[in-house]
Amino acid sequence: MTGSDFDAVVIGAGNAGLTAAATLQRAGARTLLVERHNVPGGCATSFRRGRFEFEVALHQLSGIGAEGQAFSLRPLFDGLGIGDRLTWVREPDLYRTVVPGAFDVTLPADWEGATATLDAHFPGNRARLDRFFALVRDLTFWQIAAMHGTPADQVDELFFRHGLRPARDVLDEHFDDERLKAVLSTYWGYLGQPPSRLPFQDLALILFAYLEFKPWHVRGGSQAMSGAILDAFLEAGGEVRFHTSVEAILTRGGKAVGVRLDDGQEVSATDVVSNASLPVTYGMLDGLDVPAAVRADLATRRIGVSGFVLHMGLDAPPAELGFTTSTTFVNTDLDADRTSASWHTRKPARGICVTSYDVEPIGFAPSGATHVSLMTLQYGSAWDGVAPAAYAREKFAYAETLLDLAETVTPGIRGAIEEVDVATPLTMSRYLGHPGGAIYGYDQDATESWQFRDSERSPHVPGLHLAGSWSGMGGFQPTLEAGVRVARRLLRSKAA
């Protein structure tokens, strides 16, 4: 393949890499997609154990919305030519959230239903809830407007007043009951920052995304989505190389001009799109020192949180095990800061997300059985220094602490385990190739917000484009959108 001339090479077939490659190829840009694994998807994959297929990472997909609903993800999939190939499975609830002895609340995925449920559990808060949800809607509207280029003097001042404030401060202004505040901020676990550090604009955005557009799964799991995007890419004439790593990003005259593969072959291209982490991407530059401005920027950022996951096949149906909703969060108490601090250790898990993929089935478990994952966030550094000989013992000892929490809402779950697979931050690091096994990229605090950083644009290395959680917000919807956005920006620059 030496000397071949592609318009673009895309490094990595994760969410953003797939949507970038498909968008480019369908627009007529001859594109090579390079992936070191044997399947597309990155985190959006599945694997088999016994008679079960396990979803790797997708807990709830935001943004799908109803057919024809404005600003949903459906036009993105339609634009890739795969909207009619995917079957969406809607969850009726946002989540069940439990702190034993404090509350057990199942929140409907509906503005009015959520308000009524919360007022029933915590009476006397109806007016406060109305004001809070109105702020969530208004602030999200103005944040989206600002992100799409509305001039600052035309953006309502409430966005500037509340957007970057800690979510906990805004919740404290609206409510007195700590239990109610904990229920409303439950999604902080999806964002990797406790309410004391989480920008309110991020909590508002995720609440809006799930209340307005509902939580969804895809039939066949996220692997079905990844496979469909890859098919769209290949059908448009794209070329993919699996079991292939990029060893270097080639440069000439300060510009990215192609890549060197792990077999020594060099592939020339007008542009390179990287879905790899920023440290790995810039570390692959060949013939060019990492620009000082890039080094200075990366030095101010902190590697984000990873995850510890139990993938389980249970020999019992969901109802028999007590699963009433697809997504359940269980925390030991109301202290989010203490829970967040525990992610740096291997002390017993203080909070888990329990996902049952068969309350609203996605098709992975046999009849009469259940596919469940237990997940807690954890930093990769918690596993530093664990000797290889002790790794399996430490891994399964920590897994037992997740099961202890799960037993508080699903007693007897241990006795139903037929298949189990355990993933640690070291697993994430090996599979994803991310420093620290980080699943959201950098720590998603206020310093990483779009107001302060625009990592997708790389003016310091022309021809190099960055897409994925390391150059923006983490999660499925943001990274799917990022790949399309980066590709369209590249195409516009070529057409200009």
Side-chain angles (χ1 to χ4, degrees), residues 15-16 19-20 23 62-64 71-77 80 147-148 205 213 456 467-468 473 475-489:
N15 281 337
T19 56
T23 300
S62 61
I64 297 301
F71 307 112
S72 77
L73 271 181
R74 290 179 186 262
L76 181 151
F77 293 111
L80 297 176
M147 292 172 73
H148 284 81
L205 184 62
F213 295 97
E456 287 178 357
M473 197 172 193
F476 272 71
Q477 180 180 355
T479 50
L480 289 166
E481 293 173 325
V484 174
R485 183 171 59 248
V486 169
R488 287 175 176 171
R489 184 182 299 137

PDB file of all heavy atoms in Angstrom, residues 15-16 19-20 23 62-64 71-77 80 147-148 205 213 456 467-468 473 475-489:
ATOM      1  N   ASN A  15     -16.702   5.195  18.229  1.00  0.00           N
ATOM      2  CA  ASN A  15     -17.880   5.943  17.759  1.00  0.00           C
ATOM      3  C   ASN A  15     -17.507   7.070  16.815  1.00  0.00           C
ATOM      4  O   ASN A  15     -18.039   7.191  15.707  1.00  0.00           O
ATOM      5  CB  ASN A  15     -18.646   6.506  18.964  1.00  0.00           C
ATOM      6  CG  ASN A  15     -19.515   5.486  19.658  1.00  0.00           C
ATOM      7  OD1 ASN A  15     -19.907   4.481  19.075  1.00  0.00           O
ATOM      8  ND2 ASN A  15     -19.830   5.740  20.918  1.00  0.00           N
ATOM      9  N   ALA A  16     -16.604   7.951  17.257  1.00  0.00           N
ATOM     10  CA  ALA A  16     -16.258   9.119  16.447  1.00  0.00           C
ATOM     11  C   ALA A  16     -15.493   8.729  15.194  1.00  0.00           C
ATOM     12  O   ALA A  16     -15.680   9.335  14.127  1.00  0.00           O
ATOM     13  CB  ALA A  16     -15.451  10.111  17.280  1.00  0.00           C
ATOM     14  N   THR A  19     -18.182   7.325  12.631  1.00  0.00           N
ATOM     15  CA  THR A  19     -19.051   8.327  11.999  1.00  0.00           C
ATOM     16  C   THR A  19     -18.240   9.303  11.149  1.00  0.00           C
ATOM     17  O   THR A  19     -18.723   9.779  10.115  1.00  0.00           O
ATOM     18  CB  THR A  19     -19.885   9.092  13.043  1.00  0.00           C
ATOM     19  OG1 THR A  19     -19.024   9.688  14.024  1.00  0.00           O
ATOM     20  CG2 THR A  19     -20.885   8.171  13.723  1.00  0.00           C
ATOM     21  N   ALA A  20     -16.988   9.586  11.544  1.00  0.00           N
ATOM     22  CA  ALA A  20     -16.139  10.446  10.715  1.00  0.00           C
ATOM     23  C   ALA A  20     -15.824   9.760   9.388  1.00  0.00           C
ATOM     24  O   ALA A  20     -15.960  10.360   8.310  1.00  0.00           O
ATOM     25  CB  ALA A  20     -14.856  10.795  11.461  1.00  0.00           C
ATOM     26  N   THR A  23     -18.950   9.481   7.144  1.00  0.00           N
ATOM     27  CA  THR A  23     -19.344  10.791   6.612  1.00  0.00           C
ATOM     28  C   THR A  23     -18.403  11.221   5.487  1.00  0.00           C
ATOM     29  O   THR A  23     -18.845  11.716   4.440  1.00  0.00           O
ATOM     30  CB  THR A  23     -19.343  11.842   7.735  1.00  0.00           C
ATOM     31  OG1 THR A  23     -20.263  11.444   8.756  1.00  0.00           O
ATOM     32  CG2 THR A  23     -19.738  13.220   7.212  1.00  0.00           C
ATOM     33  N   SER A  62     -28.741   8.447  24.811  1.00  0.00           N
ATOM     34  CA  SER A  62     -29.563   9.654  24.778  1.00  0.00           C
ATOM     35  C   SER A  62     -29.680  10.157  23.347  1.00  0.00           C
ATOM     36  O   SER A  62     -28.911   9.787  22.470  1.00  0.00           O
ATOM     37  CB  SER A  62     -28.939  10.748  25.661  1.00  0.00           C
ATOM     38  OG  SER A  62     -27.646  11.097  25.188  1.00  0.00           O
ATOM     39  N   GLY A  63     -30.670  11.021  23.124  1.00  0.00           N
ATOM     40  CA  GLY A  63     -30.753  11.737  21.860  1.00  0.00           C
ATOM     41  C   GLY A  63     -31.546  11.078  20.760  1.00  0.00           C
ATOM     42  O   GLY A  63     -31.747  11.695  19.710  1.00  0.00           O
ATOM     43  N   ILE A  64     -32.003   9.829  20.930  1.00  0.00           N
ATOM     44  CA  ILE A  64     -32.717   9.163  19.833  1.00  0.00           C
ATOM     45  C   ILE A  64     -34.070   9.830  19.583  1.00  0.00           C
ATOM     46  O   ILE A  64     -34.422  10.160  18.452  1.00  0.00           O
ATOM     47  CB  ILE A  64     -32.893   7.669  20.128  1.00  0.00           C
ATOM     48  CG1 ILE A  64     -31.530   6.991  20.228  1.00  0.00           C
ATOM     49  CG2 ILE A  64     -33.730   7.003  19.046  1.00  0.00           C
ATOM     50  CD1 ILE A  64     -30.681   7.112  18.988  1.00  0.00           C
ATOM     51  N   PHE A  71     -33.935  17.905  16.385  1.00  0.00           N
ATOM     52  CA  PHE A  71     -32.646  17.888  17.093  1.00  0.00           C
ATOM     53  C   PHE A  71     -32.308  16.525  17.699  1.00  0.00           C
ATOM     54  O   PHE A  71     -31.477  16.433  18.588  1.00  0.00           O
ATOM     55  CB  PHE A  71     -32.598  18.965  18.181  1.00  0.00           C
ATOM     56  CG  PHE A  71     -32.933  20.341  17.681  1.00  0.00           C
ATOM     57  CD1 PHE A  71     -34.103  20.970  18.079  1.00  0.00           C
ATOM     58  CD2 PHE A  71     -32.103  20.977  16.779  1.00  0.00           C
ATOM     59  CE1 PHE A  71     -34.425  22.234  17.602  1.00  0.00           C
ATOM     60  CE2 PHE A  71     -32.415  22.235  16.293  1.00  0.00           C
ATOM     61  CZ  PHE A  71     -33.578  22.869  16.704  1.00  0.00           C
ATOM     62  N   SER A  72     -32.944  15.457  17.228  1.00  0.00           N
ATOM     63  CA  SER A  72     -32.614  14.134  17.739  1.00  0.00           C
ATOM     64  C   SER A  72     -31.446  13.553  16.948  1.00  0.00           C
ATOM     65  O   SER A  72     -30.976  14.134  15.959  1.00  0.00           O
ATOM     66  CB  SER A  72     -33.828  13.208  17.637  1.00  0.00           C
ATOM     67  OG  SER A  72     -33.999  12.758  16.303  1.00  0.00           O
ATOM     68  N   LEU A  73     -30.975  12.369  17.381  1.00  0.00           N
ATOM     69  CA  LEU A  73     -29.894  11.685  16.679  1.00  0.00           C
ATOM     70  C   LEU A  73     -30.368  10.974  15.409  1.00  0.00           C
ATOM     71  O   LEU A  73     -29.549  10.562  14.597  1.00  0.00           O
ATOM     72  CB  LEU A  73     -29.255  10.631  17.596  1.00  0.00           C
ATOM     73  CG  LEU A  73     -28.092  11.050  18.493  1.00  0.00           C
ATOM     74  CD1 LEU A  73     -27.598   9.845  19.291  1.00  0.00           C
ATOM     75  CD2 LEU A  73     -26.949  11.647  17.691  1.00  0.00           C
ATOM     76  N   ARG A  74     -31.668  10.846  15.253  1.00  0.00           N
ATOM     77  CA  ARG A  74     -32.159  10.066  14.110  1.00  0.00           C
ATOM     78  C   ARG A  74     -31.665  10.609  12.763  1.00  0.00           C
ATOM     79  O   ARG A  74     -31.287   9.825  11.884  1.00  0.00           O
ATOM     80  CB  ARG A  74     -33.685   9.990  14.137  1.00  0.00           C
ATOM     81  CG  ARG A  74     -34.208   9.104  15.279  1.00  0.00           C
ATOM     82  CD  ARG A  74     -35.723   9.055  15.323  1.00  0.00           C
ATOM     83  NE  ARG A  74     -36.206   8.340  16.489  1.00  0.00           N
ATOM     84  CZ  ARG A  74     -36.600   7.076  16.515  1.00  0.00           C
ATOM     85  NH1 ARG A  74     -36.576   6.371  15.398  1.00  0.00           N
ATOM     86  NH2 ARG A  74     -37.018   6.512  17.635  1.00  0.00           N
ATOM     87  N   PRO A  75     -31.647  11.944  12.540  1.00  0.00           N
ATOM     88  CA  PRO A  75     -31.114  12.430  11.261  1.00  0.00           C
ATOM     89  C   PRO A  75     -29.648  12.060  11.039  1.00  0.00           C
ATOM     90  O   PRO A  75     -29.226  11.891   9.890  1.00  0.00           O
ATOM     91  CB  PRO A  75     -31.294  13.951  11.374  1.00  0.00           C
ATOM     92  CG  PRO A  75     -32.442  14.123  12.316  1.00  0.00           C
ATOM     93  CD  PRO A  75     -32.270  13.035  13.312  1.00  0.00           C
ATOM     94  N   LEU A  76     -28.871  11.918  12.131  1.00  0.00           N
ATOM     95  CA  LEU A  76     -27.478  11.494  11.971  1.00  0.00           C
ATOM     96  C   LEU A  76     -27.424  10.103  11.362  1.00  0.00           C
ATOM     97  O   LEU A  76     -26.677   9.867  10.398  1.00  0.00           O
ATOM     98  CB  LEU A  76     -26.771  11.530  13.328  1.00  0.00           C
ATOM     99  CG  LEU A  76     -25.275  11.151  13.376  1.00  0.00           C
ATOM    100  CD1 LEU A  76     -24.581  11.884  14.529  1.00  0.00           C
ATOM    101  CD2 LEU A  76     -25.070   9.640  13.546  1.00  0.00           C
ATOM    102  N   PHE A  77     -28.225   9.182  11.903  1.00  0.00           N
ATOM    103  CA  PHE A  77     -28.221   7.822  11.360  1.00  0.00           C
ATOM    104  C   PHE A  77     -28.838   7.785   9.963  1.00  0.00           C
ATOM    105  O   PHE A  77     -28.379   7.037   9.096  1.00  0.00           O
ATOM    106  CB  PHE A  77     -28.958   6.882  12.311  1.00  0.00           C
ATOM    107  CG  PHE A  77     -28.255   6.692  13.626  1.00  0.00           C
ATOM    108  CD1 PHE A  77     -28.788   7.198  14.801  1.00  0.00           C
ATOM    109  CD2 PHE A  77     -27.048   6.028  13.684  1.00  0.00           C
ATOM    110  CE1 PHE A  77     -28.137   7.030  16.007  1.00  0.00           C
ATOM    111  CE2 PHE A  77     -26.378   5.859  14.884  1.00  0.00           C
ATOM    112  CZ  PHE A  77     -26.921   6.363  16.055  1.00  0.00           C
ATOM    113  N   LEU A  80     -26.307   8.782   7.466  1.00  0.00           N
ATOM    114  CA  LEU A  80     -25.338   7.730   7.179  1.00  0.00           C
ATOM    115  C   LEU A  80     -25.973   6.574   6.405  1.00  0.00           C
ATOM    116  O   LEU A  80     -25.289   5.604   6.068  1.00  0.00           O
ATOM    117  CB  LEU A  80     -24.731   7.199   8.486  1.00  0.00           C
ATOM    118  CG  LEU A  80     -23.923   8.208   9.313  1.00  0.00           C
ATOM    119  CD1 LEU A  80     -23.463   7.578  10.616  1.00  0.00           C
ATOM    120  CD2 LEU A  80     -22.727   8.726   8.524  1.00  0.00           C
ATOM    121  N   MET A 147     -23.337  27.193  21.739  1.00  0.00           N
ATOM    122  CA  MET A 147     -22.429  26.236  21.104  1.00  0.00           C
ATOM    123  C   MET A 147     -22.529  26.286  19.585  1.00  0.00           C
ATOM    124  O   MET A 147     -21.572  25.960  18.884  1.00  0.00           O
ATOM    125  CB  MET A 147     -22.729  24.821  21.606  1.00  0.00           C
ATOM    126  CG  MET A 147     -22.392  24.592  23.064  1.00  0.00           C
ATOM    127  SD  MET A 147     -22.972  22.984  23.680  1.00  0.00           S
ATOM    128  CE  MET A 147     -21.821  21.869  22.873  1.00  0.00           C
ATOM    129  N   HIS A 148     -23.685  26.698  19.091  1.00  0.00           N
ATOM    130  CA  HIS A 148     -23.881  26.780  17.645  1.00  0.00           C
ATOM    131  C   HIS A 148     -23.608  28.176  17.096  1.00  0.00           C
ATOM    132  O   HIS A 148     -23.982  28.475  15.962  1.00  0.00           O
ATOM    133  CB  HIS A 148     -25.296  26.325  17.272  1.00  0.00           C
ATOM    134  CG  HIS A 148     -25.464  24.839  17.315  1.00  0.00           C
ATOM    135  ND1 HIS A 148     -25.691  24.147  18.490  1.00  0.00           N
ATOM    136  CD2 HIS A 148     -25.407  23.890  16.332  1.00  0.00           C
ATOM    137  CE1 HIS A 148     -25.788  22.853  18.219  1.00  0.00           C
ATOM    138  NE2 HIS A 148     -25.611  22.672  16.931  1.00  0.00           N
ATOM    139  N   LEU A 205     -27.781  19.465  30.843  1.00  0.00           N
ATOM    140  CA  LEU A 205     -27.799  18.893  29.496  1.00  0.00           C
ATOM    141  C   LEU A 205     -28.180  17.419  29.517  1.00  0.00           C
ATOM    142  O   LEU A 205     -28.985  16.962  28.698  1.00  0.00           O
ATOM    143  CB  LEU A 205     -26.426  19.073  28.842  1.00  0.00           C
ATOM    144  CG  LEU A 205     -26.298  18.613  27.387  1.00  0.00           C
ATOM    145  CD1 LEU A 205     -27.230  19.409  26.479  1.00  0.00           C
ATOM    146  CD2 LEU A 205     -24.845  18.748  26.915  1.00  0.00           C
ATOM    147  N   PHE A 213     -35.677  13.458  25.213  1.00  0.00           N
ATOM    148  CA  PHE A 213     -35.482  12.500  24.116  1.00  0.00           C
ATOM    149  C   PHE A 213     -35.550  11.042  24.570  1.00  0.00           C
ATOM    150  O   PHE A 213     -35.457  10.137  23.744  1.00  0.00           O
ATOM    151  CB  PHE A 213     -34.146  12.772  23.424  1.00  0.00           C
ATOM    152  CG  PHE A 213     -34.091  14.098  22.735  1.00  0.00           C
ATOM    153  CD1 PHE A 213     -33.525  15.203  23.353  1.00  0.00           C
ATOM    154  CD2 PHE A 213     -34.626  14.263  21.466  1.00  0.00           C
ATOM    155  CE1 PHE A 213     -33.478  16.438  22.726  1.00  0.00           C
ATOM    156  CE2 PHE A 213     -34.582  15.484  20.820  1.00  0.00           C
ATOM    157  CZ  PHE A 213     -34.010  16.583  21.455  1.00  0.00           C
ATOM    158  N   GLU A 456     -10.880  19.734  19.108  1.00  0.00           N
ATOM    159  CA  GLU A 456     -11.132  19.150  17.795  1.00  0.00           C
ATOM    160  C   GLU A 456     -10.361  19.873  16.702  1.00  0.00           C
ATOM    161  O   GLU A 456     -10.004  19.284  15.689  1.00  0.00           O
ATOM    162  CB  GLU A 456     -12.624  19.194  17.476  1.00  0.00           C
ATOM    163  CG  GLU A 456     -13.443  18.201  18.260  1.00  0.00           C
ATOM    164  CD  GLU A 456     -14.916  18.301  17.944  1.00  0.00           C
ATOM    165  OE1 GLU A 456     -15.315  19.177  17.148  1.00  0.00           O
ATOM    166  OE2 GLU A 456     -15.676  17.504  18.500  1.00  0.00           O
ATOM    167  N   ALA A 467     -11.021  13.689  16.969  1.00  0.00           N
ATOM    168  CA  ALA A 467     -12.442  13.403  17.188  1.00  0.00           C
ATOM    169  C   ALA A 467     -12.582  12.350  18.266  1.00  0.00           C
ATOM    170  O   ALA A 467     -11.893  11.334  18.244  1.00  0.00           O
ATOM    171  CB  ALA A 467     -13.094  12.910  15.891  1.00  0.00           C
ATOM    172  N   GLY A 468     -13.493  12.596  19.202  1.00  0.00           N
ATOM    173  CA  GLY A 468     -13.752  11.604  20.234  1.00  0.00           C
ATOM    174  C   GLY A 468     -13.797  12.220  21.612  1.00  0.00           C
ATOM    175  O   GLY A 468     -13.759  13.443  21.775  1.00  0.00           O
ATOM    176  N   MET A 473     -16.665  16.269  24.880  1.00  0.00           N
ATOM    177  CA  MET A 473     -17.406  15.589  25.930  1.00  0.00           C
ATOM    178  C   MET A 473     -17.436  14.080  25.672  1.00  0.00           C
ATOM    179  O   MET A 473     -17.523  13.642  24.531  1.00  0.00           O
ATOM    180  CB  MET A 473     -18.834  16.141  25.987  1.00  0.00           C
ATOM    181  CG  MET A 473     -19.581  15.822  27.266  1.00  0.00           C
ATOM    182  SD  MET A 473     -21.163  16.721  27.338  1.00  0.00           S
ATOM    183  CE  MET A 473     -21.598  16.472  29.063  1.00  0.00           C
ATOM    184  N   GLY A 475     -18.974  10.039  26.284  1.00  0.00           N
ATOM    185  CA  GLY A 475     -20.297   9.428  26.187  1.00  0.00           C
ATOM    186  C   GLY A 475     -20.646   9.084  24.749  1.00  0.00           C
ATOM    187  O   GLY A 475     -19.991   9.525  23.804  1.00  0.00           O
ATOM    188  N   PHE A 476     -21.693   8.291  24.569  1.00  0.00           N
ATOM    189  CA  PHE A 476     -22.048   7.794  23.240  1.00  0.00           C
ATOM    190  C   PHE A 476     -22.554   8.898  22.319  1.00  0.00           C
ATOM    191  O   PHE A 476     -22.034   9.086  21.222  1.00  0.00           O
ATOM    192  CB  PHE A 476     -23.089   6.674  23.367  1.00  0.00           C
ATOM    193  CG  PHE A 476     -22.485   5.317  23.534  1.00  0.00           C
ATOM    194  CD1 PHE A 476     -21.850   4.963  24.711  1.00  0.00           C
ATOM    195  CD2 PHE A 476     -22.538   4.391  22.507  1.00  0.00           C
ATOM    196  CE1 PHE A 476     -21.286   3.701  24.869  1.00  0.00           C
ATOM    197  CE2 PHE A 476     -21.974   3.118  22.647  1.00  0.00           C
ATOM    198  CZ  PHE A 476     -21.345   2.785  23.832  1.00  0.00           C
ATOM    199  N   GLN A 477     -23.595   9.627  22.724  1.00  0.00           N
ATOM    200  CA  GLN A 477     -24.137  10.650  21.835  1.00  0.00           C
ATOM    201  C   GLN A 477     -23.093  11.692  21.455  1.00  0.00           C
ATOM    202  O   GLN A 477     -22.928  12.001  20.260  1.00  0.00           O
ATOM    203  CB  GLN A 477     -25.367  11.317  22.459  1.00  0.00           C
ATOM    204  CG  GLN A 477     -25.964  12.389  21.549  1.00  0.00           C
ATOM    205  CD  GLN A 477     -27.198  13.070  22.135  1.00  0.00           C
ATOM    206  OE1 GLN A 477     -27.685  12.687  23.200  1.00  0.00           O
ATOM    207  NE2 GLN A 477     -27.712  14.067  21.442  1.00  0.00           N
ATOM    208  N   PRO A 478     -22.344  12.262  22.420  1.00  0.00           N
ATOM    209  CA  PRO A 478     -21.358  13.288  22.033  1.00  0.00           C
ATOM    210  C   PRO A 478     -20.301  12.779  21.066  1.00  0.00           C
ATOM    211  O   PRO A 478     -19.885  13.521  20.162  1.00  0.00           O
ATOM    212  CB  PRO A 478     -20.736  13.692  23.378  1.00  0.00           C
ATOM    213  CG  PRO A 478     -21.777  13.396  24.390  1.00  0.00           C
ATOM    214  CD  PRO A 478     -22.446  12.144  23.895  1.00  0.00           C
ATOM    215  N   THR A 479     -19.851  11.537  21.217  1.00  0.00           N
ATOM    216  CA  THR A 479     -18.795  11.064  20.326  1.00  0.00           C
ATOM    217  C   THR A 479     -19.331  10.686  18.949  1.00  0.00           C
ATOM    218  O   THR A 479     -18.655  10.898  17.941  1.00  0.00           O
ATOM    219  CB  THR A 479     -18.047   9.870  20.958  1.00  0.00           C
ATOM    220  OG1 THR A 479     -18.979   8.877  21.414  1.00  0.00           O
ATOM    221  CG2 THR A 479     -17.224  10.333  22.151  1.00  0.00           C
ATOM    222  N   LEU A 480     -20.545  10.140  18.889  1.00  0.00           N
ATOM    223  CA  LEU A 480     -21.155   9.904  17.578  1.00  0.00           C
ATOM    224  C   LEU A 480     -21.281  11.212  16.807  1.00  0.00           C
ATOM    225  O   LEU A 480     -20.970  11.284  15.611  1.00  0.00           O
ATOM    226  CB  LEU A 480     -22.529   9.259  17.753  1.00  0.00           C
ATOM    227  CG  LEU A 480     -22.563   7.803  18.222  1.00  0.00           C
ATOM    228  CD1 LEU A 480     -23.967   7.423  18.685  1.00  0.00           C
ATOM    229  CD2 LEU A 480     -22.106   6.856  17.107  1.00  0.00           C
ATOM    230  N   GLU A 481     -21.742  12.242  17.495  1.00  0.00           N
ATOM    231  CA  GLU A 481     -21.908  13.550  16.860  1.00  0.00           C
ATOM    232  C   GLU A 481     -20.563  14.174  16.505  1.00  0.00           C
ATOM    233  O   GLU A 481     -20.430  14.848  15.475  1.00  0.00           O
ATOM    234  CB  GLU A 481     -22.694  14.479  17.785  1.00  0.00           C
ATOM    235  CG  GLU A 481     -24.141  14.054  17.978  1.00  0.00           C
ATOM    236  CD  GLU A 481     -24.868  14.887  19.018  1.00  0.00           C
ATOM    237  OE1 GLU A 481     -24.242  15.291  20.020  1.00  0.00           O
ATOM    238  OE2 GLU A 481     -26.079  15.124  18.837  1.00  0.00           O
ATOM    239  N   ALA A 482     -19.557  13.949  17.350  1.00  0.00           N
ATOM    240  CA  ALA A 482     -18.252  14.572  17.115  1.00  0.00           C
ATOM    241  C   ALA A 482     -17.631  14.101  15.806  1.00  0.00           C
ATOM    242  O   ALA A 482     -17.046  14.897  15.061  1.00  0.00           O
ATOM    243  CB  ALA A 482     -17.317  14.274  18.282  1.00  0.00           C
ATOM    244  N   GLY A 483     -17.739  12.805  15.521  1.00  0.00           N
ATOM    245  CA  GLY A 483     -17.160  12.304  14.285  1.00  0.00           C
ATOM    246  C   GLY A 483     -17.768  12.948  13.051  1.00  0.00           C
ATOM    247  O   GLY A 483     -17.053  13.326  12.114  1.00  0.00           O
ATOM    248  N   VAL A 484     -19.086  13.086  13.053  1.00  0.00           N
ATOM    249  CA  VAL A 484     -19.770  13.736  11.925  1.00  0.00           C
ATOM    250  C   VAL A 484     -19.353  15.206  11.835  1.00  0.00           C
ATOM    251  O   VAL A 484     -19.064  15.726  10.751  1.00  0.00           O
ATOM    252  CB  VAL A 484     -21.298  13.618  12.080  1.00  0.00           C
ATOM    253  CG1 VAL A 484     -22.006  14.423  10.998  1.00  0.00           C
ATOM    254  CG2 VAL A 484     -21.725  12.157  12.027  1.00  0.00           C
ATOM    255  N   ARG A 485     -19.314  15.870  12.982  1.00  0.00           N
ATOM    256  CA  ARG A 485     -18.969  17.300  13.004  1.00  0.00           C
ATOM    257  C   ARG A 485     -17.555  17.544  12.463  1.00  0.00           C
ATOM    258  O   ARG A 485     -17.345  18.442  11.636  1.00  0.00           O
ATOM    259  CB  ARG A 485     -19.101  17.822  14.431  1.00  0.00           C
ATOM    260  CG  ARG A 485     -18.829  19.312  14.580  1.00  0.00           C
ATOM    261  CD  ARG A 485     -19.184  19.793  15.974  1.00  0.00           C
ATOM    262  NE  ARG A 485     -18.447  19.094  17.013  1.00  0.00           N
ATOM    263  CZ  ARG A 485     -18.998  18.263  17.888  1.00  0.00           C
ATOM    264  NH1 ARG A 485     -20.285  17.994  17.843  1.00  0.00           N
ATOM    265  NH2 ARG A 485     -18.262  17.671  18.816  1.00  0.00           N
ATOM    266  N   VAL A 486     -16.596  16.756  12.920  1.00  0.00           N
ATOM    267  CA  VAL A 486     -15.212  16.929  12.474  1.00  0.00           C
ATOM    268  C   VAL A 486     -15.091  16.635  10.987  1.00  0.00           C
ATOM    269  O   VAL A 486     -14.405  17.357  10.245  1.00  0.00           O
ATOM    270  CB  VAL A 486     -14.271  16.029  13.303  1.00  0.00           C
ATOM    271  CG1 VAL A 486     -12.882  15.972  12.691  1.00  0.00           C
ATOM    272  CG2 VAL A 486     -14.196  16.537  14.744  1.00  0.00           C
ATOM    273  N   ALA A 487     -15.769  15.585  10.519  1.00  0.00           N
ATOM    274  CA  ALA A 487     -15.711  15.258   9.091  1.00  0.00           C
ATOM    275  C   ALA A 487     -16.315  16.356   8.230  1.00  0.00           C
ATOM    276  O   ALA A 487     -15.759  16.730   7.182  1.00  0.00           O
ATOM    277  CB  ALA A 487     -16.434  13.930   8.847  1.00  0.00           C
ATOM    278  N   ARG A 488     -17.443  16.884   8.670  1.00  0.00           N
ATOM    279  CA  ARG A 488     -18.083  17.947   7.881  1.00  0.00           C
ATOM    280  C   ARG A 488     -17.215  19.202   7.856  1.00  0.00           C
ATOM    281  O   ARG A 488     -17.130  19.895   6.827  1.00  0.00           O
ATOM    282  CB  ARG A 488     -19.461  18.268   8.459  1.00  0.00           C
ATOM    283  CG  ARG A 488     -20.496  17.185   8.175  1.00  0.00           C
ATOM    284  CD  ARG A 488     -21.805  17.481   8.853  1.00  0.00           C
ATOM    285  NE  ARG A 488     -22.831  16.493   8.494  1.00  0.00           N
ATOM    286  CZ  ARG A 488     -24.020  16.407   9.082  1.00  0.00           C
ATOM    287  NH1 ARG A 488     -24.331  17.264  10.069  1.00  0.00           N
ATOM    288  NH2 ARG A 488     -24.892  15.498   8.708  1.00  0.00           N
ATOM    289  N   ARG A 489     -16.558  19.505   8.958  1.00  0.00           N
ATOM    290  CA  ARG A 489     -15.678  20.671   9.004  1.00  0.00           C
ATOM    291  C   ARG A 489     -14.510  20.476   8.050  1.00  0.00           C
ATOM    292  O   ARG A 489     -14.106  21.396   7.317  1.00  0.00           O
ATOM    293  CB  ARG A 489     -15.175  20.892  10.430  1.00  0.00           C
ATOM    294  CG  ARG A 489     -14.329  22.153  10.605  1.00  0.00           C
ATOM    295  CD  ARG A 489     -13.824  22.273  12.033  1.00  0.00           C
ATOM    296  NE  ARG A 489     -14.909  22.355  12.970  1.00  0.00           N
ATOM    297  CZ  ARG A 489     -14.971  21.715  14.127  1.00  0.00           C
ATOM    298  NH1 ARG A 489     -13.990  20.893  14.491  1.00  0.00           N
ATOM    299  NH2 ARG A 489     -15.985  21.880  14.949  1.00  0.00           N
TER     300      ARG A 489
END
